[in-house]
Amino acid sequence: MCRGAQHVVNRILPAADTILHDHRVKFTREDIDSSELDRRRALYGPLTEAVRELVDATIRTEVDESVIREVHAEVAAAAAKLRAKQLDGAFGLRFTTGGESFAWGNAGIGLRNALAPPLSVESDASGLHWTEVTLGAPYEGPPGLVHGGICALVLDHLLGTTASSIEPRFTGTLTLRYRRGTPLGRLRAEARITRNEGRKTVVNGTLSDAGGVTVEAEGIFIGPATATA
Ligand SMILES: CCCCCCCCCCCC(=O)SCCNC(=O)CCNC(=O)[C@H](O)C(C)(C)COP(=O)(O)OP(=O)(O)OC[C@H]1O[C@@H](n2cnc3c(N)ncnc32)[C@H](O)[C@@H]1OP(=O)(O)O
């Protein structure tokens, strides 16, 4: 768990009933400890990786039509097996008995979400937060470049996590300046809190490739009223 995240967990549960109840967000405490969480991580992580591989392979395959039909049937059969027992809705945000959080359906970080890049945020004592990620063919927008909405996803998640390093914060306004196209491949995003104004936290950040900054971002993140009461 990143620095300050346990504190965020302790604050986010009471806050959930106020701001998030209206959004029908699912917060669940599961009766499992961290070793069971590790076991599940080891079970689902490789499945998600395999699905991610399938997504990329589907985009880039040039095999014969007969193989496509064969794989189509196999993938449909695999999906039907997984559908045999399902959650009613989305995964939500869950907590172990020890307070460890897992948002495995999350579009940015979800361990069970093959659409998630996935992102992992690091931080240092100076307050700098960053994430490094490789975005390949499934994230293409303009030819050879990352889709603008995916750049926004990366920056929203990083800036939101940065804003939430002390208290939980939700994106109020996110402003992006796309300075040049972001090439598919290895990228780094950085963020830092620039000011706090009561329940509002302003965070600035960038997305860069090896040649420098491609997108600049500024976000205003708002804390639920009860989190600072
Ligand atoms: C384990 C955990 C890990 C935690 C790790 C978390 C990482 C998460 C990263 C992803 C984050 C997301 O994507 S979050 C998902 C996208 N965002 C959302 O769905 C949020 C939807 N919007 C809302 O729920 C709400 O509108 C809020 C929370 C933004 C604000 O509602 P509110 O609390 O009623 O706000 P309100 O009292 O009216 O205003 C409070 C102050 O904020 C200002 N304000 C209000 N709305 C906005 C706004 N959109 N943009 C700018 N400023 C605003 C007001 O002017 C006021 O300033 P003043 O008068 O006091 O000066």
Side-chain angles (χ1 to χ4, degrees):
M1 204 180 281
C2 71
R3 196 169 62 88
Q6 184 62 61
H7 181 61
V8 170
V9 166
N10 293 339
R11 305 287 295 199
I12 207 168
L13 279 176
D17 277 345
T18 55
I19 197 169
L20 292 168
H21 181 73
D22 298 339
H23 299 245
R24 298 180 191 177
V25 172
K26 288 170 66 178
F27 282 74
T28 315
R29 236 186 241 285
E30 286 214 14
D31 191 19
I32 61 168
D33 61 14
S34 63
S35 63
E36 172 59 15
L37 189 66
D38 285 345
R39 193 191 68 77
R40 294 187 191 183
R41 202 176 269 129
L43 176 68
Y44 289 110
L47 170 65
T48 308
E49 260 317 310
V51 176
R52 227 171 248 136
E53 176 70 11
L54 182 65
V55 170
D56 187 87
T58 301
I59 294 168
R60 296 166 57 202
T61 190
E62 296 195 315
V63 297
D64 291 345
E65 195 174 315
S66 62
V67 180
I68 299 293
R69 292 185 196 289
E70 199 180 311
V71 171
H72 178 184
E74 288 167 359
V75 171
K81 270 191 188 174
L82 295 175
R83 288 269 183 234
K85 192 174 174 195
Q86 294 266 283
L87 293 170
D88 278 346
F91 191 88
L93 178 58
R94 300 174 183 221
F95 296 88
T96 64
T97 49
E100 200 174 349
S101 66
F102 52 115
W104 284 355
N106 184 284
I109 59 172
L111 179 98
R112 286 174 63 174
N113 188 347
L115 299 180
L119 303 172
S120 174
V121 176
E122 312 286 332
S123 62
D124 68 19
S126 78
L128 179 70
H129 287 67
W130 70 91
T131 184
E132 291 186 355
V133 65
T134 300
L135 298 178
Y139 301 101
E140 185 174 52
L145 302 175
V146 180
H147 193 291
I150 299 297
C151 297
L153 169 78
V154 172
L155 287 161
D156 180 39
H157 181 78
L158 174 66
L159 271 59
T161 301
T162 304
S164 299
S165 56
I166 298 169
E167 299 278 354
R169 294 282 187 264
F170 300 91
T171 314
T173 299
L174 182 66
T175 306
L176 301 177
R177 180 174 175 153
Y178 294 86
R179 283 171 38 166
R180 62 184 170 88
T182 301
L184 293 170
R186 192 72 179 161
L187 301 168
R188 177 180 169 94
E190 295 186 350
R192 197 183 275 286
I193 293 175
T194 42
R195 58 183 195 279
N196 277 300
E197 298 164 2
R199 286 164 53 206
K200 292 186 292 188
T201 298
V202 178
V203 182
N204 285 80
T206 54
L207 181 65
S208 303
D209 69 354
V213 172
T214 60
V215 186
E216 294 169 342
E218 180 169 278
I220 303 170
F221 295 84
I222 318 292
T226 54
T228 52

